[in-house]
């Protein structure tokens, strides 16, 4: 560890250059402070930047090599802090932090908004039939299941059977809740047709929020059984903790409840007002494009806000963990990857 620290320090010195805007580079550390919500928000704006979807294989290799050169103290002269932060941003957006394997593009956090917005638009379409409700809820939870699995804590292997069980449980729960709420709304005779239509537009939120919790827990249940790795301040493995796994899943589940709030609540409110405007009443064909833009804006706001609630590398006191973990390290706190 001392050799690595020495080489990294020398590399940092060579990277201290004319770039005054960028802070000094720290390998494996976030560019922005993670102790504040604003710092985490700026960090995750980098993680979900859709421009990283267009990074070529060659550019990814160059970014990884640049970080390796920094780590081993062989950084070429003239490399700026900004270049190093950019390289780390590319690596974090594309490669899984535990496995260093590429995450399939639609399931990266940077692909969540571009690939998820059409699904949100479908969920919020008015006058849904039973078939369309089932289809959009199935598609949404299928996408969520793959995103949860692709961005899980992968310090322990997870069999394919666990993925299938979690996927089926999440889809069944989402479809059941959505269909049940729709049936209740249809049978509510006290509602006027206009009120019934407005209420129907809000049905996706409780269905999606409830199913998202099921999705996270079921897709990552193996972490609760096996535990996840916890590391000390120097990045050394301390042990495997089931208590840390519970914290990781709770934090992730909370973000999945907060995430659909702006996405599935704001667009129905905004669209109910926009539909009364003379422009959309005269040109009803614009309804779908306008709703798509409203959903895209809501999604773009909601995702970084939701995942910024907790840092990805969360910290926990060893006194809160298993006794064997506390005995295995002199550190007062350890960190774990909660996943996204």
């Amino acid at each position: 560890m001392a050799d690595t620290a020495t080489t990294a320090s020398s590399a940092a010195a060579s990277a201290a250059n004319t770039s005054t805007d960028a802070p000094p580079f720290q390998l494996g550390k976030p560019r922005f402070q993670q102790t504040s919500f604003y710092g985490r928000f700026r960090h995750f704006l980098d993680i979900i930047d859709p421009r990283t979807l267009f990074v070529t294989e060659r550019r990814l290799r160059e970014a990884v090599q640049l970080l390796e050169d920094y780590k081993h103290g062989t950084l070429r002269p003239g490399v700026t802090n900004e270049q190093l932060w950019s390289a780390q941003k590319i690596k974090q957006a594309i490669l899984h932090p535990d496995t260093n394997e590429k995450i399939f593009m639609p399931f990266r956090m940077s692909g969540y908004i571009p690939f998820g917005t059409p699904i949100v638009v479908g969920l919020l379409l008015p006058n849904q039939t039973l078939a369309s409700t089932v289809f959009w809820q199935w598609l949404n939870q299928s996408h969520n299941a793959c995103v949860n699995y692709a961005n899980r804590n992968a310090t322990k292997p997870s069999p394919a059977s666990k993925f299938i069980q979690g996927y089926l449980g999440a889809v069944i729960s989402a479809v059941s809740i959505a269909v049940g709420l729709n049936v209740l709304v249809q049978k509510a005779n006290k509602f006027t047709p206009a009120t019934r239509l407005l209420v129907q537009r809000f049905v996706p939120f409780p269905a999606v929020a409830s199913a998202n919790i099921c999705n996270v827990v079921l897709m990552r249940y193996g972490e609760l059984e096996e535990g996840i790795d916890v590391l000390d301040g120097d990045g050394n493995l301390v042990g495997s903790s089931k208590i840390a796994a519970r914290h990781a899943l709770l934090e992730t589940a909370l973000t999945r409840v907060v995430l659909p709030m702006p996405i599935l609540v704001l667009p129905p409110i905004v669209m109910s007002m926009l539909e009364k405007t003379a422009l959309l009443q005269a040109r009803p064909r614009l309804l779908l494009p306008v709703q798509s833009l409203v959903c895209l804006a809501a999604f773009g706001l909601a995702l970084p806000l939701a995942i910024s609630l907790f840092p990805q590398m969360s910290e926990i006191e060893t006194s809160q963990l298993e006794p064997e973990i506390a005995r295995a390290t002199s550190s007062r706190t350890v960190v774990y990857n909660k996943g996204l």
Side-chain angles (χ1 to χ4, degrees), residues 157-205:
S158 179
S161 60
K162 295 289 185 183
F163 172 82
I164 295 171
Q165 290 173 10
Y167 169 72
L168 291 175
V171 169
I172 291 170
S173 64
V175 171
S176 301
I177 294 168
V179 171
L181 289 174
N182 268 320
V183 170
L184 286 176
V185 172
Q186 291 293 343
K187 291 184 176 180
N189 297 323
K190 294 181 180 179
F191 291 156
T192 64
T195 304
R196 184 181 290 113
L197 178 61
L198 183 61
V199 172
Q200 275 185 308
R201 284 181 160 178
F202 287 99
V203 164
F205 171 67

Side-chain angles (χ1 to χ4, degrees), residues 140-141 144 148 207-217 256-257 260:
N140 181 54
Q141 290 306 321
N144 285 344
N148 287 335
V208 169
S210 304
N212 282 355
I213 297 175
C214 297
N215 203 320
V216 169
V217 174
R256 292 301 191 271
V257 173

Side-chain angles (χ1 to χ4, degrees), residues 52-53 93-94 102-112 151:
T52 59
L53 296 172
I94 298 175
K102 284 183 70 174
I103 299 174
F104 187 44
M105 189 182 293
F107 309 143
R108 298 174 195 166
M109 294 311 291
S110 56
Y112 203 27
N151 294 279

